[in-house]
Amino acid sequence: MATRGSRSEKVKRIFQQFDTNRDGGLNRDEMAALVVAVNPRVKFSDEQINAILDEVFRTYGEFIDGEKGLTYDGLLRTYDDGAGDVDRDFDALGLELNSDENKGASIVSEASSSSIVDERVTESQKKQRTAAWAVSPHHGIVFDDTWKLVDDLEILLKRLKAKQAKDGKFRNDNFDAYSDAGWSRELGASAELSEKRIYWEELGPDYALFVKELGALRSRADGARSREEVFDGHMALGRILYEHQLFKEALICFKRSCELQPMDVRPHFRAGNCLYVLGKYKEAKEEFQLALESAEAGGNQWVHLLPQIYVNLGIALEGEGMVLSACEYYREAAILCPTHYRALKLLGSALFGVGEYRAAVKALEEAIFMKPDYADAHCDLASALHGMGEDERAIEVFQKAIDLKPGHVDALYNLGGLYMDLGRFQRASEMYTRVLAVWPTHWRAQLNKAVSLLGAGETEEAKKALKEALKMTNRVELHDAIYHLKQLQKKKVKANGGANGEAAFVIVDPSKFKTVGEKTTLRQDLGNALQIRAFQRITRLNRCEVDLLKKEMNETDVPVSYSGSGGPQKSIRKPNLEEVLRKLLIFLKPETFQGAVKAINEKVLSVLDETGSGRVDLGMFYAVLAPICNGPPDKRKRIAFDALLWRPVNEGGSQIRKVDAVQYIKLLRAIYLPSHGVSEMLEVHGQTDTSMVSFSEFLVMFDDPDWGFGILSTLLKLETGDRNRHENHVCSVCRYPIIGSRFKEIKSHFSLCNQCYSEGKVPPNYKQDEYKFKEYGKEAEVMKDKCMCFNLQSHKDR
């Protein structure tokens, strides 16, 4: 916990450094000098400086002393509100604290004895040893009796800590190296929580006694003389408990404060923080929304808190998986406070999370410009650069993140993945080894280490790494990888420079691939269907019942708007569309839903919103999703047609305009069959006319194999059979067990998996003018073929 003897003293030294005329205030020139000095890498324009000063002098008007300017208390308040980082600024200015003052502060903070009454510190010591917030105007302790509650709570906490430490139950672990995948989760002012994560043992008698005594303190707070004093007491108790990471107990205090003053921003804000840390993201979001409503209703009183509320609300929404919605609030925070580097970092990370890489890079570079030592921002910037294909630059930025924080798990793991993509397997295995040094039970790092070793040709080491991964988890991917490794050893094949130890192969021209039987899928069709199937799996739309789309259309009232062309539309903004998707994919965990939104944004919304307006035609969106949702094919087509009927231009009738049907098919193919392009269809089928199309005519257009979405039949085959295993058969190219259809070459009798067949790969020792393949969905079909051949042979023998 930051002490008054250190934090406030640092602020005082900063204040004294820039109060050049020694009048007890920082005027505009002195404040401008401070802003520039603590941001040495930022080149501010005069307009930017004036905008920052206008905001500070307006927000903290109560601390402006006439011509003198911002008082010391005002500067302290700006730091208390999270507008700056005291430690960073102090270090940037090269200042030092007086050693005697530090010594005195530490002695006072450690004073303790066995009795609550005897342990209370004196009034003169109180402000020195208490956290900065406690004496901050509008945020601190107002009533004298509240100080007594705080002192008694501090003593209870010291007793509990001492008892649990003696029994070996109290743990104070450094979690600096650990961060959530993709982007960091940050809440509140940076000084609120220490770098150490505290773990309290809540099941023993010591903790039960602490809770009982804490209940007595709460009762004392409730017995205060006025409602305001009761509120003051519970807020102070909550803040102390929060700083000691007793979040459940702190939440009780903040909830009581909410009851006492429901229109006060602070208890809702603090309760939201507690709920977020406890993993209750939906409830945290609701508290932050209440804080936002109170702040907006309170006029200028709470305007300084708005950026923090926006940021924390965005983080809570990310916890629920609502990344597009979170982006909106991060943007608002950055607009209100242009120097809020954390808001910019979170915005960039969220944009990266939904696949908008260019915008992510811009926001993250701005955050790093303001805070060059921001390791998490460097990590996410590197990931965004990799997403844009700027791999060499991404490697440099990943390395910078690791230099700033050597144990940064995300940076190490993602850099390993980048090296894997580039075929630098030895370097990749080194990165995964470093991940495992920090996080020994990271099974994905262990599995990827095995794969990278395999790619580097170190088969024995790869085998050991796989066995270690198997000790961590029993997932089917590991069993397949081990089986793959055994097959490679058995065949003694040489690597062809491909990823994952891929066996040598040659790629054959599509014209040389022939099919046997009507049921065998064409190579190009299978390739397209596999891509759609992969999209289904990432988004889990194959688990979304298509009837839900119809239900949403019937129950959702979307106002009609007019597009740039003047036509009426039921269009909504992307964050609102994300809420619709959450209803459709309610069965997904937040992190999985985030991945689904990213895939949909990249593949679908980028096409539907080609102008970048941020709005999407909801009817067309439903129609595009319908063919890949779960349900009979006829129902999928029917609901796609109904979605087009639901649009304002067709609403109320039983037919749709032909031009809308043509546009729909064009979009469907552009989204799911991008390699085909749409220029031919536009030339041949893109004429605009006023004719109408019935459902039966729509089906003819939809099922057209050349100009429609005839690929649906192949997709349905994959949906029903792509989990089928074929006993001990492995693909002759990649050596993995065949899952899905098995494509058997009739002449040479080698077999290919779905993926290798769709890519035209064949073993190099089978060179033929043409290859004839027959597709088997199940091994029972192979047995049936063998029986038929046996019967035919028997008839010939007779």
Side-chain angles (χ1 to χ4, degrees):
M1 182 175 71
T3 63
R4 198 63 177 175
S6 59
R7 180 180 170 83
S8 65
E9 200 57 40
K10 286 184 177 182
V11 179
K12 184 180 290 185
R13 290 286 291 109
I14 294 171
F15 183 86
Q16 290 170 348
Q17 178 82 2
F18 290 92
D19 183 17
T20 54
N21 58 11
R22 297 293 182 265
D23 63 352
L26 299 180
N27 58 35
R28 289 182 70 91
D29 290 338
E30 292 167 338
M31 273 298 296
L34 190 158
V35 171
V36 171
V38 298
N39 295 282
R41 294 174 181 267
V42 183
K43 303 299 182 186
F44 291 105
S45 66
D46 290 341
E47 291 78 7
Q48 288 175 316
I49 288 289
N50 286 327
I52 293 169
L53 296 182
D54 289 344
E55 182 66 25
V56 170
F57 278 69
R58 180 173 60 252
T59 303
Y60 300 97
E62 61 193 292
F63 298 99
I64 304 300
D65 185 6
E67 294 296 323
K68 294 180 181 180
L70 188 70
T71 62
Y72 161 72
D73 287 337
L75 183 62
L76 182 60
R77 171 68 173 276
T78 66
Y79 283 112
D80 288 345
D81 292 343
D85 187 322
V86 177
D87 296 328
R88 182 181 72 89
D89 291 354
F90 193 81
D91 293 339
L93 295 170
L95 301 175
E96 292 183 1
L97 285 176
N98 183 298
S99 59
D100 292 334
E101 290 170 342
N102 274 336
K103 184 178 178 181
S106 62
I107 291 171
V108 171
S109 65
E110 293 178 12
S112 63
S113 66
S114 60
S115 165
I116 286 182
V117 176
D118 293 341
E119 284 191 55
R120 287 185 184 143
V121 293
T122 65
E123 187 69 29
S124 61
Q125 296 171 326
K126 194 179 299 173
K127 290 186 178 181
Q128 238 186 339
R129 73 106 182 95
T130 306
W133 61 264
V135 290
S136 169
H138 299 294
H139 287 269
I141 294 171
V142 178
F143 295 90
D144 288 339
D145 284 348
T146 302
W147 285 104
K148 297 174 184 177
L149 289 171
V150 167
D151 288 336
D152 290 351
L153 176 56
E154 290 280 9
I155 293 163
L156 294 179
L157 287 164
K158 286 177 185 175
R159 284 181 178 175
L160 178 64
K161 187 182 293 187
K163 288 177 181 177
Q164 293 204 349
K166 184 179 178 181
D167 297 337
K169 296 176 181 177
F170 179 81
R171 291 190 6 248
N172 199 345
D173 296 340
N174 190 336
F175 65 103
D176 180 61
Y178 297 87
S179 61
D180 293 324
W183 53 87
S184 303
R185 309 292 192 189
E186 298 158 316
L187 265 176
S190 58
E192 289 238 338
L193 290 177
S194 68
E195 289 293 326
K196 302 284 187 180
R197 180 64 194 265
I198 300 172
Y199 296 92
W200 298 93
E201 174 56 60
E202 299 182 3
L203 299 178
D206 295 334
Y207 192 84
L209 178 61
F210 168 76
V211 171
K212 182 179 178 181
E213 292 175 325
L214 177 60
L217 287 183
R218 290 197 185 106
S219 297
R220 273 174 53 193
D222 281 329
R225 289 163 292 185
S226 66
R227 192 180 187 87
E228 288 75 15
E229 190 170 346
V230 176
F231 174 84
D232 191 51
H234 281 286
M235 282 296 291
L237 293 174
R239 292 290 293 270
I240 296 292
L241 291 165
Y242 182 87
E243 287 172 355
H244 284 83
Q245 300 185 31
L246 289 159
F247 303 114
K248 293 178 184 176
E249 303 304 328
L251 180 61
I252 294 170
C253 294
F254 293 136
K255 284 286 191 182
R256 176 68 177 127
S257 300
C258 291
E259 293 172 4
L260 292 162
Q261 294 190 19
M263 291 307 293
D264 195 301
V265 172
R266 295 166 296 174
H268 292 298
F269 182 75
R270 297 292 165 193
N273 287 357
C274 290
L275 288 163
Y276 178 86
V277 177
L278 293 169
K280 299 180 179 181
Y281 305 127
K282 185 175 184 295
E283 294 173 54
K285 176 191 71 177
E286 291 167 355
E287 287 295 339
F288 289 134
Q289 285 172 335
L290 288 171
L292 182 59
E293 290 172 11
S294 299
E296 290 174 340
N300 292 330
Q301 183 183 5
W302 305 114
V303 69
H304 60 279
L305 276 180
L306 281 174
Q308 292 184 60
I309 297 171
Y310 282 135
V311 164
N312 289 15
L313 181 51
I315 294 171
L317 283 164
E318 279 200 65
E320 286 192 293
M322 307 293 284
V323 187
L324 285 171
S325 301
C327 287
E328 295 289 290
Y329 290 105
Y330 296 145
R331 282 194 188 94
E332 289 292 332
I335 290 168
L336 282 175
C337 185
T339 58
H340 201 317
Y341 57 81
R342 185 139 42 91
L344 287 165
K345 183 269 172 188
L346 290 166
L347 173 60
S349 301
L351 288 167
F352 164 70
V354 294
E356 297 186 9
Y357 301 122
R358 291 191 182 280
V361 166
K362 183 178 178 183
L364 289 164
E365 285 179 336
E366 286 186 36
I368 291 170
F369 189 64
M370 294 181 188
K371 187 173 173 59
D373 60 347
Y374 206 164
D376 287 344
H378 280 92
C379 177
D380 291 346
L381 174 59
S383 297
L385 290 168
H386 178 41
M388 292 170 60
E390 297 185 26
D391 292 337
E392 291 305 320
R393 189 179 165 206
I395 291 173
E396 292 177 11
V397 180
F398 271 133
Q399 195 57 58
K400 178 65 175 177
I402 295 165
D403 291 342
L404 290 167
K405 188 187 287 188
H408 199 298
V409 169
D410 288 340
L412 292 167
Y413 184 84
N414 292 341
L415 181 54
L418 175 50
Y419 280 137
M420 286 266 283
D421 290 345
L422 296 174
R424 303 181 193 175
F425 300 112
Q426 195 62 49
R427 291 289 289 143
S429 68
E430 291 170 11
M431 292 302 110
Y432 293 127
T433 300
R434 290 180 65 178
V435 171
L436 291 165
V438 180
W439 191 339
T441 58
H442 198 308
W443 72 266
R444 291 187 185 278
Q446 188 70 55
L447 174 59
N448 285 343
K449 178 183 176 181
V451 173
S452 58
L453 287 168
L454 192 60
E458 300 182 26
T459 309
E460 287 302 316
E461 291 299 316
K463 192 174 180 181
K464 291 177 185 176
L466 275 176
K467 287 182 178 178
E468 287 299 317
L470 199 57
K471 292 177 184 177
M472 299 177 190
T473 183
N474 202 33
R475 294 174 70 96
V476 69
E477 299 103 299
L478 292 176
H479 292 282
D480 284 343
I482 291 172
Y483 188 79
H484 177 223
L485 185 60
K486 288 178 180 177
Q487 289 297 319
L488 287 177
Q489 288 180 312
K490 190 184 295 183
K491 293 290 182 181
K492 295 183 179 179
V493 295
K494 295 182 179 179
N496 195 49
N500 305 332
E502 215 167 39
F505 59 84
V506 293
I507 297 178
V508 177
D509 187 84
S511 62
K512 292 187 177 182
F513 265 38
K514 308 295 181 182
T515 59
V516 176
E518 295 179 357
K519 293 184 178 180
T520 302
T521 308
L522 292 172
R523 168 180 157 183
Q524 190 174 10
D525 286 349
L526 181 61
N528 290 326
L530 281 172
Q531 290 182 15
I532 300 171
R533 184 71 177 130
F535 179 68
Q536 279 184 316
R537 283 177 166 159
I538 292 170
T539 60
R540 278 40 172 208
L541 284 167
N542 57 308
R543 291 171 56 192
C544 171
E545 294 297 328
V546 72
D547 287 327
L548 285 176
L549 299 181
K550 183 72 174 178
K551 183 172 181 285
E552 280 297 313
M553 284 186 273
N554 291 336
E555 295 180 358
T556 306
D557 183 20
V558 181
V560 175
S561 58
Y562 288 84
S563 63
S565 60
Q569 287 184 353
K570 290 181 178 178
S571 68
I572 61 174
R573 296 169 63 251
K574 283 186 180 181
N576 301 116
L577 185 65
E578 186 179 46
E579 294 174 9
V580 173
L581 279 171
R582 198 69 186 105
K583 294 178 188 176
L584 297 175
L585 301 173
I586 195 170
F587 50 85
L588 293 184
K589 293 180 179 178
E591 59 271 21
T592 311
F593 179 71
Q594 285 184 14
V597 170
K598 178 181 180 181
I600 291 169
N601 189 47
E602 289 181 308
K603 195 173 187 71
V604 179
L605 303 187
S606 61
V607 176
L608 294 181
D609 180 30
E610 58 183 353
T611 62
S613 66
R615 300 188 72 86
V616 176
D617 182 333
L618 191 55
M620 190 63 77
F621 177 73
Y622 286 142
V624 165
L625 290 194
I628 65 169
C629 288
N630 188 40
D634 291 343
K635 184 173 285 188
R636 299 187 199 184
K637 298 170 192 176
R638 177 73 238 189
I639 289 180
F641 184 79
D642 289 345
L644 297 175
L645 271 178
W646 185 70
R647 300 171 75 220
V649 288
N650 299 310
E651 204 166 16
S654 59
Q655 295 183 324
I656 62 174
R657 297 188 308 174
K658 186 174 183 180
V659 66
D660 292 335
V662 169
Q663 183 195 18
Y664 167 65
I665 298 294
K666 178 188 78 170
L667 288 170
L668 206 58
R669 291 173 65 83
I671 290 167
Y672 298 121
L673 306 171
S675 59
H676 284 222
V678 296
S679 57
E680 306 96 331
M681 187 178 66
L682 285 172
E683 292 170 12
V684 181
H685 296 270
Q687 301 90 347
T688 58
D689 56 45
T690 57
S691 59
M692 305 297 285
V693 174
S694 65
F695 178 58
S696 58
E697 292 170 321
F698 171 78
L699 288 179
V700 174
M701 296 175 66
F702 187 97
D703 293 331
D704 189 308
D706 298 318
W707 299 107
F709 200 65
I711 194 75
L712 181 59
S713 59
T714 306
L715 179 63
L716 290 168
K717 188 190 290 187
L718 286 178
E719 289 178 4
T720 55
D722 65 359
R723 291 185 179 274
N724 294 340
R725 289 179 175 256
H726 294 261
E727 298 175 353
N728 295 323
H729 290 283
V730 297
C731 176
S732 298
V733 171
C734 69
R735 310 307 304 171
Y736 272 103
I738 294 177
I739 304 172
S741 290
R742 174 160 76 98
F743 291 87
K744 183 178 179 182
E745 209 285 319
I746 300 303
K747 181 180 177 181
S748 302
H749 303 293
F750 65 83
S751 296
L752 298 179
C753 65
N754 276 332
Q755 196 64 44
C756 291
Y757 174 77
S758 70
E759 294 172 0
K761 295 177 180 178
V762 298
N765 50 327
Y766 295 109
K767 293 182 179 179
Q768 301 169 194
D769 292 333
E770 65 176 21
Y771 300 83
K772 293 183 179 180
F773 289 95
K774 184 160 187 181
E775 180 180 358
Y776 294 104
K778 300 176 181 178
E779 283 307 297
E781 296 172 9
V782 181
M783 294 301 298
K784 185 178 178 182
D785 259 14
K786 287 181 179 179
C787 291
M788 288 179 66
C789 290
F790 179 77
N791 290 335
L792 286 172
Q793 188 63 43
S794 298
H795 283 303
K796 286 181 181 179
D797 291 343
R798 289 175 192 173

